[in-house]
Amino acid sequence: QVQLVESGGGLVQPGGSLRLSCAASQFNPDRWTIGWFRQAPGKEREGVSCISRRGLNTFYADSVKGRFALSRDSAENTVYLQMNDLKPEDTAVYYCAATHGTYYTGVTPYCDLNLEYTYWGQGTQVTVSS
């Protein structure tokens, strides 16, 4: 029953910023891991970032570390991907996805982009070009 809808994509100049949103329906954010992925034409899908159950931990791919940041608003059932200092190589369709899967260290959950993400949004286009 989980449904994910991405928004916020668009055309931006190199060095610019965008904030993507992933709105979820029928969703308990404390029990789901959320991931962001992207796919450029002719390229394999790659993981970008993820946020764990309860929003306690995040992970970023090396290609976006220091430029992108995940956050969530559990009251609105929405996860955000803030993208700063965008580069042409960031151009892709961006997807959010959800999984019940998780990893625990003690009582602390962590996310992993290699988990099996069951639910996917339709994607939103991000184009970085001057």
Side-chain angles (χ1 to χ4, degrees), residues 10-18 84-88 90 127-130:
L11 175 64
V12 64
Q13 293 183 332
S17 298
L18 286 173
N84 300 318
D85 192 25
L86 284 162
K87 304 175 180 180
D90 295 318
T127 302
V128 185
S129 180
S130 59

Side-chain angles (χ1 to χ4, degrees), residues 8-20 36 38 46 48 63-69 81-94 124-130:
L11 175 64
V12 64
Q13 293 183 332
S17 298
L18 286 173
R19 189 176 75 161
L20 305 184
W36 280 96
R38 66 187 182 187
E46 63 174 338
V48 176
S63 59
V64 305
K65 193 174 299 181
R67 299 188 296 118
F68 291 10
L81 181 64
Q82 179 67 44
M83 306 186 297
N84 300 318
D85 192 25
L86 284 162
K87 304 175 180 180
E89 52 264 42
D90 295 318
T91 296
V93 177
Y94 283 71
T124 185
Q125 177 70 49
V126 172
T127 302
V128 185
S129 180
S130 59

Side-chain angles (χ1 to χ4, degrees), residues 13-126:
Q13 293 183 332
S17 298
L18 286 173
R19 189 176 75 161
L20 305 184
S21 298
C22 176
S25 300
Q26 307 296 318
F27 181 72
N28 184 341
D30 285 348
R31 296 187 176 184
W32 292 83
T33 299
I34 303 297
W36 280 96
F37 301 81
R38 66 187 182 187
Q39 188 166 22
K43 303 291 186 179
E44 292 186 353
R45 186 178 64 203
E46 63 174 338
V48 176
S49 184
C50 58
I51 185 166
S52 72
R53 291 179 175 181
R54 302 173 63 196
L56 293 178
N57 285 286
T58 54
F59 174 83
Y60 301 92
D62 288 342
S63 59
V64 305
K65 193 174 299 181
R67 299 188 296 118
F68 291 10
L70 268 176
S71 62
R72 72 171 195 164
D73 185 338
S74 59
E76 297 182 354
N77 283 352
T78 302
V79 173
Y80 302 97
L81 181 64
Q82 179 67 44
M83 306 186 297
N84 300 318
D85 192 25
L86 284 162
K87 304 175 180 180
E89 52 264 42
D90 295 318
T91 296
V93 177
Y94 283 71
Y95 300 89
C96 67
T99 178
H100 246 301
T102 188
Y103 294 107
Y104 279 94
T105 299
V107 299
T108 304
Y110 292 84
C111 72
D112 191 324
L113 289 166
N114 294 315
L115 293 168
E116 183 178 356
Y117 288 82
T118 304
Y119 299 95
W120 293 79
Q122 82 288 348
T124 185
Q125 177 70 49
V126 172

